[in-house]
Amino acid sequence: MNLAVANYLKNVLSKVKCKKIHSALEEELIDHIECIKESYIEEGMDETLAYKKAVEQMGCAAEVGKDLNKAHAYHMEWSVLALLIGIVTIGVGAFVYWNIQTTQGEIAYYFGRQVVFIGLGILGFISAYFFDYRYLKKWSVWIYGIALLLLVYNKFFGIDVNGSRSWIRIGSLSIGVYTMVVPTLIVGYIGLIKCFAKERSKDYFVLGIVGILPIILIMDEQFRSAFLLGIIFLLIVTSHILSKDFDGNRKQFLTILYSLTGGVGIFGAFWYLQAPYRKARIDVFLSPEQDPVGMGYIPMQLKNVREQASLLGDSGFQVVSANVPDPFGDYMLTVIIGCFGWFIAAILIIMVAMMIIRMYKVAWKIQDSYGKLLCIGIVSLFTIQFFYNIGMNLGYLPLIGISLPFVSYGGTGMVMNFVLMGLFLNIYRKKDVVLLDNSVVG
């Protein structure tokens, strides 16, 4: 290599902090220099002088290096992180307030465990944030396969809670199977799509069978998780078909996809209503006063909290503490309304909406197609969970046991949500680097 060129490249790359992309940038800079050199040689200049003039034309090495470093640096999405911290803080605040206001020892116990869960979640967030997410694509078959094996294991050996096998125990540790498996399946399925989905109908037929299998395994035990997984899978496949990576007939594929989905949806709705308690749940949602001491009890108590809560203050606290069973799970928004008033609850809902909107905007900025699909899957999962739980607590949707991410009590859910958020921000962090870094082959 020409000495002038070598020195120039060394000086430029010394300003670029991300070492992984040095080789790609070096190739790009050499291509530019070679093009300029050739133009000088065509003008009759000798090669040595042509290289010297080409390097001079490229500009100051230090300035070029600084510009490249700025263009290809790692970036944190501070607005999403700030909103996340605010949401977690309000949830912790509700625990703290309840712990101060009551002498019940179990509240202190739950509060201590929640702090531990958040701490573990933060560790998971940090790990996911610095992990090279492209390895997930390489490991997608294993990820999806292990998740399926967990579902099969749970089917035979899971712990039955309220008529549903949804927990497995490892020593003294209890893990919510569906809370862990649903996000894992989503990540694995996205990798399968990016690895195996081409323009052939056969590919999508096989992926459809692979996608339906876990839904069938989950549906009989916990319909809400099966429904949630099905919706996310549908959104992921739709996003892939609409992406630039798809080479087939979009209209044809979407028509087939949604025709089949409609048929499966009708069958699912018919199957869901076959269970009397599920039909009763819908009837109670429409008229909870018809069964005020049975299935309508909790909806009526949540309604009482909403009616007694003030704009600011704890006027609804007594109703929550005395009448709402297990309030720190799915009914944390109602706890916040009762403890702090409608104003703080409204701030929480606004923060959630702002975070979700910002996450969607971030997702569309990702150029790496695999990373973009992961972001869409993650934000879609959060969107459904957040807004169903909010609608459920406000009386607009039936009670089906969907928790409020980052706020509701729970170990598996808290850790998994933090890991997913760390993965999401990791993808954004590397959005200007990953396309130049070829160290991981997908």
Side-chain angles (χ1 to χ4, degrees):
M1 182 183 294
N2 180 271
L3 183 60
V5 174
N7 288 334
Y8 182 80
L9 293 174
K10 180 180 178 181
N11 291 332
V12 169
L13 296 176
S14 68
K15 301 295 181 181
V16 180
K17 294 180 181 179
C18 183
K19 305 297 184 183
K20 289 184 177 182
I21 62 172
H22 277 197
S23 60
L25 289 177
E26 182 176 329
E27 290 180 13
E28 188 176 328
L29 290 168
I30 289 173
D31 285 342
H32 283 298
I33 292 171
E34 288 293 333
C35 287
I36 298 171
K37 180 210 72 172
E38 290 299 327
S39 66
Y40 280 123
I41 288 177
E42 289 176 1
E43 295 176 4
M45 198 175 292
D46 69 84
E47 186 177 75
T48 302
L49 185 57
Y51 269 123
K52 182 179 178 181
K53 296 288 289 183
V55 167
E56 290 175 356
Q57 189 172 325
M58 289 290 292
C60 173
E63 293 300 320
V64 171
K66 288 178 182 178
D67 290 341
L68 288 173
N69 181 63
K70 185 177 180 181
H72 300 290
Y74 293 130
H75 300 285
M76 165 58 82
E77 219 310 311
W78 292 107
S79 60
V80 171
L81 183 63
L83 289 165
L84 174 63
I85 292 171
I87 291 167
V88 173
T89 301
I90 292 176
V92 172
F95 271 97
V96 172
Y97 180 86
W98 194 301
N99 193 40
I100 293 171
Q101 292 295 318
T102 183
T103 57
Q104 299 175 22
E106 64 177 12
I107 303 303
Y109 169 77
Y110 286 129
F111 172 61
R113 285 173 63 89
Q114 185 75 338
V115 171
V116 172
F117 296 152
I118 292 173
L120 292 173
I122 291 172
L123 290 177
F125 174 94
I126 294 170
S127 300
Y129 183 72
F130 290 104
F131 176 74
D132 193 330
Y133 69 88
R134 291 170 297 169
Y135 282 109
L136 297 174
K137 182 180 176 182
K138 292 180 65 178
W139 302 336
S140 57
V141 174
W142 285 101
I143 292 170
Y144 202 82
I146 290 171
L148 287 178
L149 288 176
L150 278 173
L151 289 177
V152 173
Y153 178 87
N154 177 68
K155 196 78 174 175
F156 295 100
F157 305 106
I159 301 170
D160 194 306
V161 178
N162 297 326
S164 171
R165 292 183 184 272
S166 55
W167 296 85
I168 57 174
R169 184 164 289 151
I170 303 174
S172 60
L173 182 66
S174 295
I175 298 174
V177 175
Y178 302 122
T179 306
M180 179 177 66
V181 165
V182 167
T184 305
L185 287 168
I186 290 170
V187 171
Y189 196 63
I190 290 170
L192 294 179
I193 289 173
K194 300 308 295 184
C195 289
F196 301 110
K198 309 302 179 183
E199 69 276 8
R200 298 178 303 173
S201 300
K202 179 182 176 182
D203 299 330
Y204 287 89
F205 177 77
V206 172
L207 284 168
I209 298 299
V210 170
I212 289 173
L213 184 58
I215 295 173
I216 293 172
L217 289 171
I218 296 171
M219 189 165 62
D220 192 44
E221 297 290 346
Q222 198 176 88
F223 185 83
R224 66 177 180 270
S225 293
F227 178 76
L228 179 63
L229 186 63
I231 293 294
I232 301 300
F233 278 2
L234 178 63
L235 292 173
I236 289 169
V237 174
T238 301
S239 298
H240 172 70
I241 292 174
L242 295 175
S243 72
K244 62 184 179 181
D245 289 347
F246 183 77
D247 296 325
N249 186 320
R250 288 186 174 86
K251 185 176 180 180
Q252 179 185 14
F253 272 80
L254 288 174
T255 301
I256 295 172
L257 174 65
Y258 280 89
S259 297
L260 292 174
T261 302
V264 172
I266 292 171
F267 170 79
F270 178 78
W271 179 88
Y272 180 84
L273 295 174
Q274 292 305 299
Y277 76 92
R278 289 173 178 150
K279 186 176 183 301
R281 181 180 290 164
I282 296 175
D283 293 337
V284 166
F285 164 67
L286 297 173
S287 302
E289 63 278 357
Q290 292 181 5
D291 188 15
V293 295
M295 292 187 71
Y297 176 78
I298 294 179
M300 291 290 289
Q301 297 308 316
L302 299 181
K303 182 180 179 182
N304 289 339
V305 175
R306 296 194 299 269
E307 290 176 346
Q308 295 191 31
S310 57
L311 184 63
L312 274 174
D314 61 354
S315 56
F317 173 73
Q318 294 301 325
V319 180
V320 180
S321 60
N323 301 308
V324 179
D326 190 26
F328 294 114
D330 303 331
Y331 312 125
M332 272 298 288
L333 180 61
T334 300
V335 171
I336 291 166
I337 293 171
C339 291
F340 302 129
W342 281 101
F343 182 72
I344 301 301
I347 290 177
L348 174 63
I349 293 170
I350 290 170
M351 290 172 69
V352 166
M354 290 174 64
M355 187 175 78
I356 292 298
I357 291 170
R358 183 59 189 163
M359 288 178 74
Y360 273 112
K361 289 183 177 179
V362 165
W364 290 111
K365 290 181 180 179
I366 307 301
Q367 297 300 311
D368 173 45
S369 60
Y370 174 63
K372 175 176 281 191
L373 209 54
L374 275 176
C375 285
I376 291 171
I378 292 169
V379 70
S380 297
L381 179 61
F382 282 146
T383 300
I384 295 172
Q385 290 179 312
F386 269 122
F387 289 107
Y388 194 98
N389 181 275
I390 291 169
M392 187 176 75
N393 276 269
L394 296 182
Y396 298 121
L397 293 169
L399 305 182
I400 62 170
I402 290 181
S403 62
L404 190 62
F406 304 106
V407 178
S408 292
Y409 173 81
T412 310
M414 186 66 74
V415 173
M416 289 302 297
N417 287 332
F418 268 108
V419 169
L420 288 176
M421 186 60 80
L423 180 59
F424 181 91
L425 292 176
N426 174 11
I427 296 168
Y428 177 81
R429 171 176 174 261
K430 295 179 177 178
K431 71 182 180 68
D432 296 320
V433 174
V434 71
L435 293 178
L436 289 176
D437 176 15
N438 297 314
S439 59
V440 175
V441 179

